[in-house]
Amino acid sequence: MAKSTVGNTPKLNMLDDIGMILFRGDLKSKTLQNAIVEVNGVKVPARGKISTEDQTSLAWMSPDELLLFVPLERVGELIEDLNQKMGEEDTLIWDISDLRSVFEIEGNFIREVLAKNTPIDLNRDKMRKGTFRRTRFGQIAVAFWFESETKWFMICRRSESEYAQRLFEVSSIPSEIPSIF
Amino acid sequence: MLKLVCPYCGIEADETELISGGEAHLKREGPASTDDDFEGYLFLRNNPKGIIFERWRHAMGCGKWFHVARCTVTQEVFGTYPAQTHKPPSRIMEEIKSRRAGQVNGLNSDKAEKFS
Amino acid sequence: MGSVLKKYSLFSLVRQSLNYHTGWERAWKSPEPKESYDVVIVGAGGHGLATAYYLGKNHGINNVAILEKGWLGGGNTGRNTTIIRSNYLQDASAAIYEKSRSLYETLSQDLNYNIMFSPRGVIMLAQTHHEARGYQRINSANVIQGIKTEYILPERIKELCKIINIDCPRYPILGALWQPRGGTARHDAVAWGYARACSDIGMDIIQKCEVTGINPHANGAVELQTSRGKIRCQKLGMVVAGHSGVLAQKAGFRLPIESVALQALVSEPVKPCLDVVVMANTVHGYISQSDKGEMVIGGGADQYNNYSQRGSFIHIENTVRALVEMFPIISRLKMLRQWGGIVDMTGDRSPIISKTPVDNVFINCGWGTGGFKSIPGSGWAMAELMAKGEPGVLASPFSLDRFKEGRFIDESVAAGVAH
Amino acid sequence: MSTRLPNGGRLVNRTKVLNFRFNGRKLKGFEGDTVASALMANDQKVVGRSFKYHRPRGIFASGPEEPNALFTIGKDGEREPNQIGTTTELAEGLEVKSQNHWPTLETDVGSVANLGSNLIPAGFYYKTFMAPRQAWKYLFEPAIRQSAGLGQPPTEWDVDHYEHLYLHTDILVVGGGVAGLLATSLLAETGLRILLLEQSPNFGGRLVQDHADFGEGTSQDWVNSTLQELSSSKNVTMRSRTSVAGIYDHGFVIADERLPNTTGKKGYLKRRLWKIRAKRIVLAAGAIERPLCFAGNDIPGVRLASGVRDYLINYGVSPGDRTAIITNNDDAYRTAIALAESGLSVPLILDTRMEIRGTLPTKAKNLGLRIQPARGISEVLGKKAVSGLEMCSQVGEGTSLEKIGCESIAVSGGWSPTVHLWSHCNGKLKWDETKVMFVPDWTHPPIDSNGNQNIFPVGSANGYLQLHEITCQVEQIVRQVAREFDKDLPEIQLPHAQEITEDRCYGTWLIPYSMKPRKKMKAWVDYQNDVKVSDIDLAVLEGFESIEHSKRYTTLGMATDQGKTSNVNGIALVSHNLGIPMDKVGTTTFRPPYSPIPLGAIAGSAGKKLFKPIRKTPIDAWHVSQNAHWEPVSDWRRPYCYLLEGESVENAVNRETLRVRTTVGMLDATTLGKILVKGKDAAKFLDLIYTNAISTLKPGRCRYGLMCDENGFLMDDGVVARLDETTFLCHTTTGGADHIHGWLEDWLQCEWWDWRVYTANITDQYVQIGIAGPEARNVLDKIGGMDLGDETLPFMSWKKGILGGHEVQVYRISFSGELSFEISLRASEGLELWEKIHEAGQEFSIEPYGTEALHVLRAEKGFIMIGDETDGTIIPQDLGLDWAISRKKDDFLGKRGQQRSYLADPNRWKLVGLEVLDNDEPLPHGVYAQCETKSEFDHPRMEGRVTSTYYSPILKRPIAMGLVERGTERMGEVIKFNCGDKMIKAKIVSHIAYNTD
């Protein structure tokens, strides 16, 4: 039955200075896979996953798109490197560090707060560590993943950040969080 | 409220994560086409009361278009498949046949011929 | 045509009350189908019945059967939000919807059946500059078309509609297109009134009669296979809204039509607080309060092909969200019932009243989300087309060939919606 | 009198007294009471007035099926009409008001309608009020509206709030009665995710009040231990106070959770709308008791037998000292027994059946109760409260045999399974003649997306009323459900339920069978909507034979209870009238919601500032600081203009426009769409997307391009910059970015999928700053870092560089005719550069300008604006943009569409300028020009319209553009615009008004 959910309710913090690189190409290509590993030290993630090593995360966005999270100061050099390693292969590699906002969500009952606004299956056996889920949060497109039960991440378009923050705020009022997951 | 498996992401997507795009497998008619063919391409629709092959976009997800075989009466889904094809794959047609044994009348006759 | 039925009036009510209302006659007869008719109309909804009625009334064609797969008035006629207006932009639309609206004005008297036409006025809100300009444009066209509309400002809107939130934070109300003689009517009564009048002039309304096959070339006649036997006719009119494509296929042609679900809902009844019809197209919601006191609410159509008469909850949610934003007090009214209809959407969202590729087969469809308001005008125009074999002024622009020619009648151009 | 008994009431806490008011009167109840039980305990007989005849109505039932006890509850911003008293929990300080009467509940003027009820039967309004014609609008309709409606609508804004919650589950169990609890506890073993929802505050359903023992001990023990066991199951989620309202396709379910206000503060989370995806649904929604149709069956004091039992056992409330029972089944004897065991009097049990042999009647008999078989009620005595009844033979016409005094009558006409949710998604029903009820037809179940049955009714929802049957059947069905998940339930010992013998219910639809017409006008079928047996007769008589017709004609089942107690009786009466079986009459379609849900709950948290996202640029806060007047443009907000203190919008626009023309202005152009297109086939692809040739564009250069849809209609425009051989940056309109990106992807994914092109919508990555005006270059030079001279950066070219320390791309393009640059840089640095430019520009009197000045500037130069000059039916050729349509290309999107006869017609309306003759009078927006000739519709023919009209401050006169029939061939001609109250003449001129060379 319902447990009290008051205490350590989740907070949303915008993270600055995250470098992001858009990478479109044929994810099955050997050249691409090698280039990615060589440049980032992280393998191309499986479908619907995100893989992380140190400062770098690679997220599967679509069958021909990755999103690279890297230290901001290295974006330029990495893009150059990737472009060079991809050689003649068709790619689109672009610095999109400012395209989206990255949020860190910390606290308890994060699943419950998200479940108020997203139609995805947030049960623990479905939304697992390593899952990178693109979906909607209220009316805007976002993606979620997490490091631990009490530390999640969300990205959305920069221009929609305020909406995301406000919606999160009204969804995380301590006395109004149901205990579900 | 439909839910459809995005064949690219391999996950069930909620209708609110998707955008519908109407009948699939339309053949584009360009500048050389006749008035009739062009009208057919742009306007005339099978609009079946039964099984439709249609387009959906995983808009709040991977952004890809995919195709769905769905019954417009019962909302049964017979499968989804990537959009890069001119006709439904055979596994979809098999699924339809196995579930609708002997009553493919939901299918439009021209498509049924073409695809069976 | 001489009326066989006893006239409805206050006196007939008083007279019948003396024997506890056990002496009333059937509103319409329930005959067995004959083998052949001059005209068969498929579809006993508002449009089909109105077509039959005006075939008789305007053209003296009374040997008519109206076939209905289910119960009469059971399609979109009985499932809509009953809005009547004619503040359309394009000449062709303005003409037929205004014809329709003006027929509604006297329909109760014409049919001797109170269809409760209530010209309480329709407000279409402008909530972006673009929409405001669109409505000013419609208003300008209406001036020339002879349709009485007015572009009004927020103060006047608030006077007409006290419960509106005039300064919504997101989409402020900039103005509105106001049609004082638009309004509502009792939807079922429209079907029943036409049915009673058709039956009265000797037409056969045949319910639970599904058309299963059409042979357009049966020795100079059109022959229908139905669930109640074969029926022949000289001319066939298909007036079946969402099922037009299904019927057209039986006759051997395709239509520029897709059938989708359109949903509506009502709240529980409360005392009167909304005296006009309000349409808010930027946020996709419209609302009026029925005579019973229920808030009658509609919104945008579902996007995917659907024949199931039930739609997706997200559309209900979006519509309600929009209206709660516009009318904050309704948050505490409760949704009592929601339902869906199957509407037939054409390539330009305007209707089709037309000859078809098949001789002696005529079609009236594609009213999409605008069907109820057009019933009398549509029937009038369709009857003329079927009686003469050629379209009159009202029907002529709505022919099937306009898609091939690129001759759109697009009402969405001014403000983005067609309903 | 109905009163609180000294003892009993399993759900109330007698130590906690709650004060509340009913119509201003101070009353007391207990914690655990519903509003209805508290009112009954206070002997409130009349609780409301019926819809049409304003007849006094008393509490009739004890659950959501209640047709009568509807109240307006709360005050001010908390006030909510039409609350169901039988499901609303009592709370301290509650303000309860009865509804639909004037001036008071006791003396209601509206009840004159009751006197004339014979004159106004079902559908009377269709037959009258037709003359004189105007009278409907001005007299009859207002009168009808005023008397209709139930509660008063709220007048103030809601102080409380709402939210949604999505949950995915393997199995949803609807209903926490014995069947639901048992099903959940059996399924809990499987480890599947289970969600159990119960509409009332308490689990157990009817188990405890109807059965003393279940399982090892008392039924209450069983409920308690089951709940305890379930609450420790990790895979089970349970919620009470949560009513499942609707089931939609693909296992989507909505449920309405009522949250108690635990703190008593104003402005709390009042409702939570659950949006559930369930793979399988176990429907244990129970059943609802039916009333019987006899004369006077609506007089306050007549109640459902199950309700009487609930009030007695659950709340310790006596329905009155003497309760007569009328029934056609054995279950009502439970009420008789319970009353007798509480020490209350049961003077008579009328049973319409001939033979009565079951366990329960025998027990009643042994208690010394008087049972009268084959008897009915001729008429109930009393007006605002029951004072007695006249007994008659069931088979006759209703001759009174005996008068019985009583204050309360408990009615049972049998039970109807709650099949609403089964039916929402097309599950069919069948009439079970032996059980006398509509039961789920398992051969036509609702299905999931795979075509498999996804709802499994159990217990009384499936037509099983006997406890031992229910347990067996639950187990059997739950096993089947588990197997669908490849789970096997272990062999288990079901809780023991005592078997009792019951005679079958007998379908008694009229009491007495040959009821006279006069009595039929007093025998109610739908209590709230005032539908009588005579109304159903009338509907059938007039040919409204389809149940859908008779429902709509009589309004049967269309009240707030949606016919929960009346539908089956109505169907039976139609069947009886037509002489056809129940199955053939059929049922009306059940529609969501099962119980009404507040519109606020449906809207959820998305009110006020969350109604729709507002997209903001990184400069937004700066705009706010400069007193921006906003305009929504798609989801963005953009400054329309910036208001100086005391300045009007009009003056601000003029000032900003002149600023650009005379010195320099700056514009936040961030919202313009920016789509990257890259790949070996990018140029070939864009040649098909745009009407003009893009492949011939050189890297470093820009070109204005047009996009059409396949109809040929102009859809979007913008500047394309070629970044390198294979990379293009396509600018779109603000509103068009997402749509155009989707459009490009659509063609790439679905038509030309083997082409080597990638796209990306990178709009938000950049801030774009427009600098326009004669001093534009001077401002940027002052900031320094780039040579922006004509040689290095000619018109329609772009380059990269460092400006004021920021990496930028500078586009030399113009939408105003002035010297103009658009500077693009990463969004996070945008505000900094914006402020630098603003500061550097001070010596050139730089000012920000908004969208309206932008529009005036472009209109002065005759540039078109998507949405103003276009409306979805305009082709580029109409706008004189033939130069942007390549004749060399074989194909582009829209080319074929433009070849069609209507689009190729030389008489199409063309874009021209319009110069008003009477100088100061501007042309209004959207006005049409009319000719002397008539259209086919007999009104003046239209020959043109205004698409853009502004005051040009630089020209000091109004300017306008419009589309005019063959306009470009008619230069100098004067045409007349009909502006409603006057005609304005305008000369057709060039569409370029300013600086025409």
Side-chain angles (χ1 to χ4, degrees), chain C residues 1 37-42 47-66 194 197-198 201 203 233-239 362 376 378-390:
Chain C
M1 52 194 177
Y37 294 90
D38 292 345
V39 170
V40 166
I41 304 291
V42 183
H47 291 261
L49 291 164
T51 300
Y53 174 72
Y54 295 113
L55 274 171
K57 186 181 174 182
N58 296 353
H59 306 282
I61 301 172
N62 292 347
N63 183 19
V64 175
I66 307 113
Y194 274 120
C198 286
I201 52 178
M203 294 178 177
C233 59
Q234 295 307 307
K235 287 177 182 174
L236 174 68
M238 300 177 175
V239 195
F362 303 86
S378 155
W380 185 285
M382 180 70 173
E384 186 180 13
L385 167 67
M386 290 190 71
K388 297 181 177 163
E390 289 297 329

Side-chain angles (χ1 to χ4, degrees), chain C residues 283-352:
Chain C
V283 294
H284 294 293
Y286 38 97
I287 184 167
S288 65
Q289 190 176 17
S290 73
D291 287 347
K292 228 183 135 183
E294 298 161 326
M295 293 294 171
V296 182
I297 291 173
D302 285 24
Q303 293 307 301
Y304 56 87
N305 294 51
N306 193 345
Y307 283 88
S308 72
Q309 286 192 338
R310 53 176 192 271
S312 293
F313 184 72
I314 185 65
H315 294 278
I316 294 289
E317 182 184 324
N318 288 342
T319 302
V320 168
R321 187 173 72 218
L323 292 171
V324 169
E325 173 90 353
M326 307 292 312
F327 304 95
I329 66 144
I330 68 168
S331 64
R332 283 147 294 162
L333 305 189
K334 298 179 208 66
M335 174 167 84
L336 183 58
R337 189 169 66 247
Q338 66 156 107
W339 65 92
I342 304 164
V343 295
D344 38 345
M345 310 290 261
T346 65
D348 61 1
R349 301 292 183 267
S350 282
I352 293 164

Side-chain angles (χ1 to χ4, degrees), chain D residues 617-619 623 636 638 666-675 702 719 721 729-732 762-771 798 808-813 821-831 833-834 837:
Chain D
T617 77
I619 322 284
H623 300 320
W636 294 91
R638 301 188 70 184
M666 59 196 293
L667 175 84
D668 182 359
T670 304
T671 61
L672 285 184
K674 290 169 277 290
I675 297 166
C702 302
V719 169
L729 183 64
C730 304
H731 290 92
T732 74
I762 53 168
T763 304
D764 285 24
Q765 167 71 16
Y766 302 101
V767 155
Q768 196 131 328
I769 304 169
I771 313 286
W798 74 278
V808 297
Q809 298 86 46
V810 181
Y811 303 88
R812 171 85 191 277
I813 53 183
F821 302 90
E822 289 202 5
I823 299 154
S824 162
L825 76 166
R826 57 189 323 149
S828 52
E829 298 174 16
L831 179 60
L833 181 61
W834 173 274
I837 293 171

Side-chain angles (χ1 to χ4, degrees), chain D residues 230-286:
Chain D
L230 292 179
S231 59
S232 59
S233 294
K234 275 177 81 177
N235 53 325
V236 176
T237 304
M238 294 192 288
R239 279 291 183 284
S240 57
R241 297 188 174 92
T242 307
S243 161
V244 175
I247 298 184
Y248 299 78
D249 289 304
H250 294 191
F252 184 80
V253 179
I254 57 168
D256 173 31
E257 181 180 10
R258 304 184 308 281
L259 294 145
N261 188 351
T262 46
T263 62
K265 278 193 212 136
K266 280 198 173 186
Y268 78 112
L269 177 64
K270 190 169 171 183
R271 303 263 185 158
R272 179 180 288 131
L273 189 79
W274 292 57
K275 297 168 161 181
I276 302 154
R277 283 281 185 191
K279 294 196 179 85
R280 291 288 179 268
I281 297 161
V282 174
L283 186 65

Side-chain angles (χ1 to χ4, degrees), chain A residues 3-41:
Chain A
K3 291 185 285 278
S4 167
T5 52
V6 181
N8 196 18
T9 46
K11 298 275 175 299
L12 188 74
N13 308 305
M14 197 191 283
L15 300 179
D16 293 327
D17 299 337
I18 307 255
M20 280 173 275
I21 299 168
L22 165 80
F23 192 110
R24 292 198 66 178
D26 176 7
L27 300 190
K28 294 198 194 87
S29 130
K30 270 273 166 300
T31 318
L32 183 146
Q33 291 177 351
N34 291 338
I36 287 284
V37 175
E38 283 168 34
V39 175
N40 299 292

Side-chain angles (χ1 to χ4, degrees), chain D residues 451-602:
Chain D
N452 299 318
Q453 175 171 354
N454 67 341
I455 303 182
F456 295 81
V458 295
S460 54
N462 196 27
Y464 292 87
L465 298 178
Q466 297 269 16
L467 193 52
H468 66 278
E469 287 178 338
I470 291 173
T471 51
C472 298
Q473 197 250 347
V474 165
E475 193 218 354
Q476 185 197 341
I477 290 173
V478 158
R479 259 185 208 288
Q480 185 184 337
V481 172
R483 266 198 298 274
E484 302 207 6
F485 294 90
D486 294 322
K487 305 273 184 189
D488 272 320
L489 291 186
E491 285 306 318
I492 40 147
Q493 181 80 46
L494 283 172
H496 174 259
Q498 193 199 342
E499 272 187 56
I500 59 167
T501 329
E502 260 191 34
D503 283 322
R504 49 169 293 211
C505 169
Y506 185 79
T508 319
W509 309 115
L510 277 177
I511 296 178
Y513 186 82
S514 305
M515 191 188 275
K516 290 183 172 167
R518 190 176 55 82
K519 289 277 176 73
K520 284 182 174 175
M521 300 185 78
K522 291 186 185 176
W524 307 83
V525 187
D526 185 317
Y527 289 77
Q528 191 186 119
N529 267 0
D530 286 317
V531 180
K532 311 171 296 277
V533 173
S534 58
D535 291 323
I536 310 253
D537 285 4
L538 176 63
V540 174
L541 180 71
E542 294 193 86
F544 295 88
E545 294 167 352
S546 155
I547 189 66
E548 290 283 359
H549 280 153
S550 35
K551 162 190 145 187
R552 286 152 182 261
Y553 192 65
T554 62
T555 73
L556 171 80
M558 295 174 84
T560 60
D561 60 325
Q562 291 286 286
K564 290 187 179 69
T565 56
S566 61
N567 272 343
V568 174
N569 285 346
I571 292 163
L573 290 167
V574 171
S575 147
H576 179 81
N577 252 303
L578 291 172
I580 59 173
M582 292 287 278
D583 262 343
K584 287 274 183 274
V585 178
T587 62
T588 57
T589 314
F590 290 97
R591 299 285 186 183
Y594 170 65
S595 286
I597 45 179
L599 298 180
I602 297 172

Side-chain angles (χ1 to χ4, degrees), chain D residues 31-207:
Chain D
E31 188 181 70
D33 259 326
T34 62
V35 168
S37 68
L39 285 173
M40 262 181 76
N42 285 284
D43 192 31
Q44 183 61 44
K45 295 189 182 72
V46 180
V47 295
R49 294 277 174 167
S50 66
F51 196 84
K52 187 168 160 189
Y53 300 136
H54 290 244
R55 286 174 62 91
R57 288 285 148 88
I59 294 163
F60 185 69
S62 57
E65 70 274 25
E66 173 64 37
N68 296 342
L70 298 178
F71 304 110
T72 298
I73 293 181
K75 53 183 176 183
D76 306 332
E78 293 172 320
R79 184 156 63 85
E80 194 171 320
N82 301 343
Q83 298 266 60
I84 306 174
T86 51
T87 57
T88 305
E89 292 168 61
L90 193 66
E92 177 63 32
L94 215 58
E95 290 274 350
V96 181
K97 289 203 168 83
S98 56
Q99 305 186 145
N100 205 33
H101 49 70
W102 186 87
T104 66
L105 176 60
E106 303 303 324
T107 323
D108 176 17
V109 168
S111 61
V112 295
N114 189 31
L115 299 176
S117 61
N118 186 19
L119 255 184
I120 51 173
F124 75 98
Y125 29 71
Y126 301 123
K127 294 171 179 158
T128 181
F129 301 147
M130 285 178 279
R133 187 160 69 82
Q134 294 300 334
W136 176 254
K137 181 180 176 187
Y138 294 104
L139 183 63
F140 301 130
E141 187 181 40
I144 287 180
R145 291 191 67 185
Q146 207 55 50
S147 83
L150 289 169
Q152 289 289 348
T155 48
E156 285 168 57
W157 288 27
D158 209 335
V159 298
D160 300 318
H161 56 273
Y162 309 87
E163 71 177 20
H164 293 173
L165 183 77
Y166 289 90
L167 191 67
H168 292 247
T169 187
D170 291 321
I171 298 169
L172 166 67
V173 180
V174 181
V178 62
L181 283 174
L182 183 59
T184 308
S185 80
L186 295 176
L187 286 164
E189 306 284 313
T190 59
L192 294 165
R193 287 177 301 185
I194 299 159
L195 175 64
L196 167 64
L197 299 179
E198 161 59 37
Q199 63 185 2
S200 76
N202 306 290
F203 288 90
R206 304 205 56 81
L207 179 67

